């Protein structure tokens, strides 16, 4: 019997180090601001999707400042059937 691959054993410290790295990126709002700007450019001209503007001059690693947009929560759109039809349309 041939074994195709050996399972890699992970040490708890490796897992924690990796988690810490990802966590720090997740809470750095300057990275999130760049992601918003990328989405804004990708959906520019879309008839169905609106991405709020990012006010970069007010953003820091701890503050994300974006445009306030009036809207309706999906759960307020009526029945499940109605919400499903809207989702399929998008």
């Amino acid at each position: 019997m041939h074994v195709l691959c050996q399972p890699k054993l992970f040490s708890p410290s490796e897992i924690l180090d990796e988690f810490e790295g990802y966590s720090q990126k997740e809470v750095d709002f300057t990275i999130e601001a760049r992601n918003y700007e990328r989405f804004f450019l990708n959906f520019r001209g879309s008839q169905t999707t609106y991405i709020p503007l990012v006010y970069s001059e007010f953003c820091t690693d701890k503050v994300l400042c974006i445009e306030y947009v009036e809207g309706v929560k999906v759960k307020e759109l009526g029945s499940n059937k109605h919400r499903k039809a809207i989702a399929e349309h998008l």
Side-chain angles (χ1 to χ4, degrees):
M1 177 178 187
H2 294 277
V3 177
L4 298 176
C5 63
Q6 292 290 332
K8 181 179 177 186
L9 298 177
F10 292 99
S11 72
S13 62
E14 282 180 21
I15 293 170
L16 289 175
D17 289 344
E18 186 174 344
F19 178 74
E20 180 182 24
Y22 286 120
S23 297
Q24 288 175 351
K25 287 180 184 176
E26 287 294 317
V27 297
D28 183 343
F29 287 126
T30 57
I31 294 170
E32 193 64 25
R34 285 194 303 269
N35 289 337
Y36 261 94
E37 290 167 346
R38 190 172 332 138
F39 271 90
F40 179 81
L41 292 173
N42 288 340
F43 287 96
R44 181 180 42 212
S46 172
Q47 299 297 312
T48 59
T49 305
Y50 184 80
I51 306 298
L53 295 172
V54 174
Y55 299 107
S56 301
E57 64 272 22
F58 301 113
C59 294
T60 68
D61 62 331
K62 306 253 186 281
V63 175
L64 177 64
C65 187
I66 62 172
E67 172 187 20
Y68 176 77
V69 179
E70 286 280 341
V72 177
K73 294 179 181 180
V74 173
K75 68 181 183 179
E76 295 172 354
L77 293 175
S79 69
N80 283 337
K81 183 178 178 182
H82 187 83
R83 289 192 297 261
K84 185 176 180 183
I86 291 170
E88 288 171 352
H89 177 72
L90 295 176

